[in-house]
Amino acid sequence: VSSIVLVILIIILLGVGAYYNGFSNAVLDWRYTLSPILIALLLSISGILNLEILRKISTFLLLLVTLNSFIIIIQYYSFDGNFQGNWRYDFLNEQNLKINPEYIERMTQYQIVRGDELRSSGVFLSALHAAYITALISVYSFICSILEIKNYRFFYFFIFLTNFIALYLTQVRVGFLIIILSLISFSMCVFLKKYTPRSVIIILIISTILFVSLLFLNQDMLDESILGRIPQYLYLFENFNLFGHGLGSYYGKFDSYYVNGFLTFGILFAFWILYIIREYINIFSDLSYSKNSILVLAYCSIIPALLFSLLQHFIGSLYYLVIWFLLFGLIRYKYELKKIK
């Protein structure tokens, strides 16, 4: 019932956004923000999205993302210093100008290079989007290197190292936060031989606070991209509307998923986050620990996604879609277990 209510709500939000912010703006925002959630939700309701399908999707992504990681490595070491000649430069300019007509072109430089070094992304337009999914696949391959059949463990560990190196070359620091938080969760369930969702949430929140504190205390790591988050959160507090400003009002204008979410949807966004946390706790509180790599991946990835997105806007990325596939795939799995019982 709650899933059907969520589907209806998503459709209503599109209508409200189109009425207040224009049809094209609302549809663009809906396409990247809500349609991935709706797709995962409908596939879950229909019974298509199950653990076996998730395993096939994860294996397919592991191969594709690893191939992209090799491209990232080649791009990085063949970069000649001419960022304007990079294939992403014109695409990024056009895309950002569509979202924000006041976009400053020099900001594109930061998306392609940091200092004199390329922020390599392979076939992805954004180094951020490349880093998110590369971090997720790094976690998945590491989990498989520990839990899968011994004959394949070296293969998975090689995949992990390849993606880890590629992640470093994207120069996206938050990618390492994803890995750190995920591996903390993984270590807890492996050593304790059980899922402890409430404890994981508390420990990961503390870890995220420590990570952010380190960024602010370390002058070498403190740059405009980090300091830029502060005025964005101040803007949120000054312009917060209980009912939000609607789809299409702020798409792509903020670095934080939470700033964008609260400004767009108001108090509904808080209920969405609470819904995710509630489902996560309910699912893993009832499950016995197993070496199923998909269950473990979901256990280790959903909460880190909620935490790192305090710092980054991950809407529109492949990672964003996969996280909701994992969440609603698990909800379906729990539903099927209840039917069997």
Side-chain angles (χ1 to χ4, degrees), residues 200-217:
V200 160
I201 291 171
I202 293 169
I203 290 172
L204 294 191
I205 289 173
I206 294 171
S207 300
T208 303
I209 292 171
L210 291 174
F211 181 86
V212 174
S213 300
L214 177 64
L215 290 178
F216 278 95
L217 291 173

Side-chain angles (χ1 to χ4, degrees), residues 177-228:
L177 177 60
I178 295 172
I179 290 181
I180 290 168
L181 295 179
S182 299
L183 293 186
I184 288 173
S185 307
F186 179 59
S187 300
M188 289 178 66
C189 73
V190 167
F191 286 114
L192 296 175
K193 301 296 181 185
K194 63 179 180 178
Y195 299 119
T196 53
R198 290 180 178 83
S199 299
V200 160
I201 291 171
I202 293 169
I203 290 172
L204 294 191
I205 289 173
I206 294 171
S207 300
T208 303
I209 292 171
L210 291 174
F211 181 86
V212 174
S213 300
L214 177 64
L215 290 178
F216 278 95
L217 291 173
N218 190 330
Q219 293 298 316
D220 294 332
M221 300 179 73
L222 199 61
D223 57 24
E224 290 183 12
S225 68
I226 296 172
L227 292 173

Side-chain angles (χ1 to χ4, degrees), residues 49 82 95 104 145 151 169 190 224 230 266 291-292 330:
L49 193 60
N82 178 20
Q95 184 185 61
I104 303 172
S145 73
N151 294 344
L169 297 181
V190 167
E224 290 183 12
I230 299 173
K291 292 188 176 182
N292 185 304
L330 280 184

Side-chain angles (χ1 to χ4, degrees), residues 124-140:
F124 286 87
L125 185 59
S126 165
L128 292 172
H129 290 187
Y132 303 155
I133 194 65
T134 303
L136 183 69
I137 294 302
S138 296
V139 171
Y140 180 56

Side-chain angles (χ1 to χ4, degrees), residues 9 12 26 96 110 119 130 152 172 182 195 202 204 237 252 261:
L9 180 60
I12 291 173
N96 288 315
Y110 183 76
R119 303 182 75 177
Y152 295 99
V172 177
S182 299
Y195 299 119
I202 293 169
L204 294 191
F237 295 134

Side-chain angles (χ1 to χ4, degrees), residues 62-74 77 134-135 137-139 141-142 154-170 176 179:
L62 182 143
L63 296 174
L64 284 187
V65 172
T66 303
L67 177 61
N68 189 66
S69 290
F70 282 113
I71 297 172
I72 285 174
I73 294 169
I74 293 169
Y77 287 106
T134 303
I137 294 302
S138 296
V139 171
S141 55
F142 185 82
F154 178 78
F155 167 76
Y156 282 117
F157 190 71
F158 172 75
I159 296 294
F160 165 72
L161 287 179
T162 301
N163 284 290
F164 190 84
I165 292 168
L167 176 62
Y168 175 76
L169 297 181
T170 65
F176 293 100
I179 290 181

Side-chain angles (χ1 to χ4, degrees), residues 142-333:
F142 185 82
I143 289 170
C144 290
S145 73
I146 303 297
L147 300 182
E148 291 293 333
I149 302 169
K150 287 184 179 180
N151 294 344
Y152 295 99
R153 288 182 180 178
F154 178 78
F155 167 76
Y156 282 117
F157 190 71
F158 172 75
I159 296 294
F160 165 72
L161 287 179
T162 301
N163 284 290
F164 190 84
I165 292 168
L167 176 62
Y168 175 76
L169 297 181
T170 65
Q171 302 193 64
V172 177
R173 290 164 295 197
V174 77
F176 293 100
L177 177 60
I178 295 172
I179 290 181
I180 290 168
L181 295 179
S182 299
L183 293 186
I184 288 173
S185 307
F186 179 59
S187 300
M188 289 178 66
C189 73
V190 167
F191 286 114
L192 296 175
K193 301 296 181 185
K194 63 179 180 178
Y195 299 119
T196 53
R198 290 180 178 83
S199 299
V200 160
I201 291 171
I202 293 169
I203 290 172
L204 294 191
I205 289 173
I206 294 171
S207 300
T208 303
I209 292 171
L210 291 174
F211 181 86
V212 174
S213 300
L214 177 64
L215 290 178
F216 278 95
L217 291 173
N218 190 330
Q219 293 298 316
D220 294 332
M221 300 179 73
L222 199 61
D223 57 24
E224 290 183 12
S225 68
I226 296 172
L227 292 173
R229 274 37 172 205
I230 299 173
Q232 291 183 18
Y233 272 96
L234 291 175
Y235 183 90
L236 166 61
F237 295 134
E238 292 171 358
N239 295 274
F240 177 74
N241 183 312
L242 189 62
F243 301 105
H245 297 273
L247 281 167
S249 54
Y250 288 105
Y251 174 72
K253 295 184 179 179
F254 298 99
D255 294 313
S256 166
Y257 180 55
Y258 287 79
V259 173
N260 184 82
F262 277 113
L263 284 172
T264 302
F265 303 110
I267 195 65
L268 278 177
F269 185 74
F271 288 120
W272 165 239
I273 298 299
L274 291 174
Y275 168 80
I276 297 168
I277 294 171
R278 187 197 70 177
E279 290 298 326
Y280 176 84
I281 292 173
N282 288 343
I283 290 165
F284 287 107
S285 294
D286 294 339
L287 284 180
S288 299
Y289 171 72
S290 75
K291 292 188 176 182
N292 185 304
S293 57
I294 298 301
L295 285 177
V296 175
L297 176 65
Y299 179 74
C300 298
S301 301
I302 292 171
I303 300 303
L306 292 184
L307 291 171
F308 102 86
S309 57
L310 286 162
L311 304 172
Q312 288 289 358
H313 192 309
F314 69 142
I315 288 171
S317 66
L318 178 58
Y319 174 86
Y320 185 74
L321 177 62
V322 173
I323 288 297
W324 306 138
F325 268 47
L326 288 171
L327 174 65
F328 289 108
L330 280 184
I331 291 173
R332 181 70 194 187
Y333 176 67

